[in-house]
Amino acid sequence: MNLKISAISRTAAVAVLVVVIAAAAVGGLFLTGVLTPEQQKRQIIIGLSLPLTNPVGIHAKYAAEMAVEEINAAGGVTINGTKYQLVLVAEDTNEMDPLIPVDQGVTAFKRLIEVHGAHVIVGGVRTDVVVAQTQQLSRYKIVYLDVESNQRIVEDLVQSDYDNYKYYFHFFAGGRNSSAGPYIAQIPVALRNAARANPNFPNVTRVALVAENALWTVGLAGRPAGNSTFFQRLKAAGFDLVFAELYPTTQADFSSYLARIKASGAGLIILLFSGPPGVAFVKQWAAYDWSPGKKPIVFGPGLLGGFSWFWDQTGGAAQGTFWWPATVKVPVTPKTVPFIEKFTQRFKETPNTAAFGTYDAIYVLKEALERANTWKGDRLVEAMERTDYVGVMGRIKFDRRHHGLNLADQHLYWYFGQWQNGELVPVWSPDQRDTVRNFILP
Amino acid sequence: MITTEAFATIMVYGLITSLVYALFAEGFSLIFGVARMIDAAYGLWYAAAAYMAYALVTVYNVNVFVTFFATIAALFSAGFVYYWAVLRRIKEHIEMIMTTFLIALVIQNLIVLLFTNFPWSTPAVLPGSTVVFGVSVFNQQLSAAVAAAGLLVLLWFLIYRTKVGLAIRGVAQDLDAAVCVGIKPQQTMALVLGLSTALAGLASLLVTPQSTITPVMGWPMLTLAFAIVVLGGLGDYRGTLIAAFVIGYVEIAVQNLVSPLYAGAASLIAVLLTLWIRPRGIFGKSVEH
């Protein structure tokens, strides 16, 4: 009997000791802050879902850091009278690599929420990744600020399936009211006008289309290539589409394309690219043996084309090519040039479009958080829908029906920039739609 | 109906493409033929050479010719060490594929770590272009084709007309018999790995200055080498050469006559059709030996 009591006592003593140690450990963890719930630390966590080894993602992250530092230095975000600090966490989606499956982007998105406890997601570059990530929004009820995908698919879904997609806000062009299509359609007209005054121009009424085989080119290029409203309108305006081909995202040699373009007599190439093959195309176009006076002009929506690296990447072969979007140094708003200068001074590189979008997105978010007095998705959406903000890229206005940019007013995405001796020079914008200015032949 | 211009384009570009493909695939074929190994990291040596050259030329401003020889020497050494340190210890095929695949991923991630995955490019050594049979050809490509042809002849000479080549063929044909006549198989295999890796690097250095470099550029090349070697008959020099020409011309013809989007698929269909008719590949007989 004594033995039994003694055994029970020992067991009880060990159990009590274990409980005490465990309680002390847990208490210690709380006291040291390791297990303190994030909201008790008065932080709002912004999850960056970006390709972090690619300059698109790197610049977006730099811009996010700049905005967050500025906001926190100015006192942070005030919610219900309490100051909160913004905190960044990031996951690498690697989405600028075309061979990486969409799943990696979705996993990064989920990790930001489930592992890092993000309250808002900022990111989005590759269209298919953004489409897949946004399918998860209603499950998590989390606001998603898309800073770089060039598509209107999710904006359309906000219209058709509001309850599931209302959390999505688009800070890049290519949306319902921010398509560059009308601008791109006007460029051949402006070039034709310039050609009338300059006999050295190639025949720009003969147009070639070379487009990346990616989801974002479906609307503009059409499938098969050239079968789109855009090209129907171009034909109606007196232009001939004499060559139209897509290229796979792994294409390295464009000799065959260039031979066929030369044979077609095209004087204007519309190049739709966002990845490495566009760089190869421009290098090869520059090296190709064109007949005198017949070297086609190259322009297009080429994401990398408007980046400051493009000149070095092509070894100067980009001379004379012109691109949209182009982060040209134009005072679109009073904030634009100071932002470019501050970013360039700090990171020694000219900010790309992802930097502009991310910087403005963080400030828009800050204002929305203060209007909503919460980071909870549904109420934050309502506050985001009351956005009317003048940022570094232009005016940003959202409402219940419009979760994307509107390029009606002057905007960074108005400008086409031409590479001239290492500088991106603005040569066209819709306020002077019929002419190209300061333009040089390649 | 094919126009004369299109025909000339296919013939000229087909020849250039095929020669470079052959140079690249011969290395992969050699590894299988001699060491009986499938090196899943082979495409990544192609990428590694491009990045090394990029770093030397663009970052450190090293002369292009010094860069060329330094890169090839580095690739040869890497292949040699790769065999002694890793491949020599592996006995099973599945283990071999898994290990070399993992090494490929390590190389790729090292490249991303050092250079990011942004597309970079080295300047063309021979800029501009030349008209050949009415077709404009980049000087860089033209020199790549001439160099590839010369290197393929040198490789043939090495394998079929030298004592080193005799040792390589001896190990490929019968390992035990090769040992009996005094050939050191481990050294021979290490030499073959060095040689093959250098061939991948050579192909890369000849072609990439006209294009861009990315960390994943090696994977399509690995698929290509695999398709060529399977089509030609595993480990056969002549078969690989002919298969490279079949695939090179099919790709260029489809690019010019149908659509560039189907060029890769068309070459793989050509492989499937050939294997359906002749499962051992064009010169598959040598594998039985």
Side-chain angles (χ1 to χ4, degrees):
Chain A
M1 186 69 177
N2 280 346
L3 274 175
K4 198 174 178 181
I5 289 168
S6 153
I8 289 169
S9 304
R10 269 203 304 275
T11 308
V14 170
V16 167
L17 190 66
V18 168
V19 169
V20 168
I21 291 170
V26 171
L29 288 173
F30 272 105
L31 284 173
T32 54
V34 175
L35 284 185
T36 306
E38 295 297 335
Q39 52 269 46
Q40 286 183 22
K41 285 185 179 173
R42 293 181 180 166
Q43 291 178 345
I44 292 166
I45 301 171
I46 300 170
L48 299 176
S49 166
L50 293 165
L52 295 171
T53 54
N54 185 285
V56 174
I58 292 169
H59 273 205
K61 188 164 180 277
Y62 285 168
E65 286 167 0
M66 263 177 72
V68 163
E69 282 171 22
E70 287 166 9
I71 291 167
N72 287 342
V77 180
T78 309
I79 292 180
N80 288 322
T82 306
K83 293 283 186 189
Y84 284 77
Q85 293 281 293
L86 294 178
V87 174
L88 294 172
V89 292
E91 279 282 337
D92 189 1
T93 57
N94 210 8
E95 65 199 276
M96 282 302 280
D97 173 357
L99 300 179
I100 289 291
V102 166
D103 303 13
Q104 187 163 328
V106 176
T107 304
F109 171 85
K110 288 181 176 174
R111 279 180 56 82
L112 285 169
I113 301 165
E114 294 172 2
V115 179
H116 301 292
H119 299 119
V120 178
I121 301 295
V122 175
V125 179
R126 210 171 85 191
T127 299
D128 53 355
V129 173
V130 172
V131 170
Q133 288 179 329
T134 52
Q135 286 169 357
Q136 307 289 324
L137 293 181
S138 61
R139 180 181 160 201
Y140 292 103
K141 296 188 187 305
I142 190 165
V143 167
Y144 184 106
L145 310 181
D146 174 357
V147 295
E148 191 71 0
S149 82
N150 183 10
Q151 48 82 28
R152 59 175 285 170
I153 298 169
V154 190
E155 278 190 49
D156 286 342
L157 287 166
V158 175
Q159 299 280 313
S160 61
D161 188 3
Y162 181 80
D163 286 342
N164 284 321
Y165 287 92
K166 65 183 178 185
Y167 307 96
Y168 174 84
F169 293 87
H170 195 192
F171 288 80
F172 192 61
R176 292 173 68 83
N177 297 310
S178 58
S179 169
Y183 305 163
I184 296 163
Q186 192 61 28
I187 297 291
V189 177
L191 287 171
R192 186 171 58 187
N193 292 340
R196 283 176 184 145
N198 185 345
N200 295 324
F201 265 66
N203 184 358
V204 293
T205 61
R206 295 178 70 80
V207 178
L209 165 69
V210 181
E212 187 173 284
N213 186 25
L215 201 51
W216 74 272
T217 68
V218 171
L220 198 59
R223 295 293 186 274
N227 181 27
S228 68
T229 311
F230 172 81
F231 283 101
Q232 283 167 10
R233 286 181 183 162
L234 208 58
K235 284 175 196 168
F239 292 88
D240 292 325
L241 183 64
V242 293
F243 175 88
E245 278 292 0
L246 301 173
Y247 65 83
T249 51
T250 52
Q251 189 77 28
D253 179 13
F254 285 93
S255 307
S256 295
Y257 289 74
L258 294 168
R260 290 168 63 195
I261 289 170
K262 184 180 180 183
S264 74
L268 181 62
I269 300 173
I270 300 179
L271 178 64
L272 275 59
F273 84 100
S274 69
V279 181
F281 183 92
V282 168
K283 284 179 76 174
Q284 291 168 26
W285 158 82
Y288 203 74
D289 184 53
W290 303 101
S291 307
K294 298 212 169 158
K295 185 175 185 179
I297 294 167
V298 175
F299 92 97
L303 184 65
L304 302 182
F307 282 16
S308 54
W309 293 273
F310 196 65
W311 181 261
D312 291 333
Q313 276 180 320
T314 59
Q319 174 79 355
T321 58
F322 69 115
W323 306 101
W324 176 95
T327 52
V328 289
K329 202 169 176 179
V330 172
V332 179
T333 74
K335 296 176 183 172
T336 310
V337 173
F339 166 73
I340 294 173
E341 287 173 350
K342 188 176 178 185
F343 188 101
T344 309
Q345 191 181 14
R346 179 165 169 183
F347 302 111
K348 312 298 176 208
E349 287 167 357
T350 312
N352 60 31
T353 50
F356 279 80
T358 308
Y359 188 78
D360 278 349
I362 303 276
Y363 271 98
V364 165
L365 172 67
K366 185 237 180 205
E367 289 194 353
L369 284 164
E370 290 181 336
R371 278 196 297 274
N373 277 320
T374 180
W375 56 81
K376 299 277 171 56
D378 290 309
R379 279 171 56 196
L380 186 56
V381 167
E382 288 172 21
M384 285 289 295
E385 287 174 346
R386 299 202 301 276
T387 295
D388 189 353
Y389 174 80
V390 175
V392 294
M393 60 182 176
R395 186 178 175 194
I396 299 162
K397 197 169 183 301
F398 297 136
D399 59 38
R400 194 176 189 281
R401 290 189 57 75
H402 301 106
H403 282 208
L405 300 180
N406 188 330
L407 302 188
D409 299 323
Q410 189 187 9
H411 202 282
L412 179 75
Y413 296 135
W414 271 19
Y415 295 92
F416 280 69
Q418 185 183 39
W419 281 107
Q420 297 180 11
N421 304 316
E423 294 290 328
L424 257 182
V425 177
V427 292
W428 187 90
S429 55
D431 50 342
Q432 296 175 54
R433 52 190 289 117
D434 294 328
T435 57
V436 284
R437 49 191 184 275
N438 306 316
F439 185 82
I440 59 162
L441 282 172
Chain B
M1 187 66 187
I2 307 176
T3 62
T4 316
E5 275 178 340
F7 181 74
T9 303
I10 293 167
M11 294 313 291
V12 172
Y13 291 159
L15 178 68
I16 293 167
T17 305
S18 303
L19 283 167
V20 175
Y21 282 4
L23 184 68
F24 180 71
E26 284 295 357
F28 190 70
S29 174
L30 208 54
I31 298 173
F32 185 86
V34 179
R36 292 287 184 265
M37 291 170 178
I38 294 173
D39 182 11
Y42 190 65
L44 270 295
W45 296 117
Y46 180 86
Y51 274 94
M52 183 173 169
Y54 165 76
L56 290 175
V57 171
T58 312
V59 182
Y60 299 108
N61 295 317
V62 177
N63 174 283
V64 284
F65 292 102
V66 175
T67 297
F68 184 85
F69 290 110
T71 307
I72 296 311
L75 266 282
F76 181 87
S77 311
F80 201 89
V81 172
Y82 177 46
Y83 177 79
W84 277 107
V86 182
L87 301 184
R88 187 167 61 99
R89 302 164 196 279
I90 302 169
K91 305 295 175 204
E92 298 293 329
H93 274 304
I94 187 71
E95 199 185 338
M96 172 72 64
I97 292 171
M98 293 304 291
T99 307
T100 54
F101 182 73
L102 284 173
I103 286 170
L105 291 178
V106 168
I107 297 172
Q108 183 185 318
N109 283 295
L110 275 175
I111 291 172
V112 172
L113 202 66
L114 293 171
F115 299 95
T116 76
N117 67 8
F118 202 50
W120 301 111
S121 64
T122 42
V125 181
L126 298 166
S129 53
T130 304
V131 176
V132 179
F133 297 116
V135 180
S136 174
V137 179
F138 304 124
N139 292 336
Q140 184 69 40
Q141 276 188 330
L142 202 58
S143 60
V146 172
L151 288 163
L152 284 165
V153 172
L154 273 178
L155 183 65
W156 175 85
F157 189 82
L158 177 78
I159 294 172
Y160 293 100
R161 291 289 182 271
T162 64
K163 278 192 173 178
V164 173
L166 194 63
I168 290 171
R169 283 183 292 135
V171 172
Q173 283 173 8
D174 192 324
L175 188 64
D176 295 331
V179 172
C180 289
V181 295
I183 296 169
K184 293 175 178 167
Q186 299 289 358
Q187 277 93 327
T188 308
M189 288 183 195
L191 180 72
V192 164
L193 257 294
L195 195 61
S196 304
T197 312
L199 283 175
L202 276 165
S204 176
L205 295 187
L206 292 174
V207 172
T208 51
Q210 198 61 57
S211 183
T212 45
I213 59 173
T214 65
V216 293
M217 63 191 282
W219 295 109
M221 292 304 287
L222 176 69
T223 313
L224 178 83
F226 195 74
I228 290 172
V229 170
V230 168
L231 180 65
L234 292 161
D236 190 283
Y237 179 91
R238 288 168 306 163
T240 301
L241 192 64
I242 291 168
F245 273 77
V246 170
I247 288 190
Y249 270 102
V250 165
E251 276 193 6
I252 294 297
V254 172
Q255 269 190 25
N256 281 276
L257 302 176
V258 188
S259 164
L261 284 183
Y262 305 124
S267 59
L268 290 178
I269 289 168
V271 173
L272 288 174
L273 281 176
T274 310
L275 293 180
W276 185 39
I277 298 162
R278 193 174 163 79
R280 292 170 186 162
I282 298 170
F283 284 88
K285 199 176 165 188
S286 63
V287 173
E288 286 183 5
H289 293 295

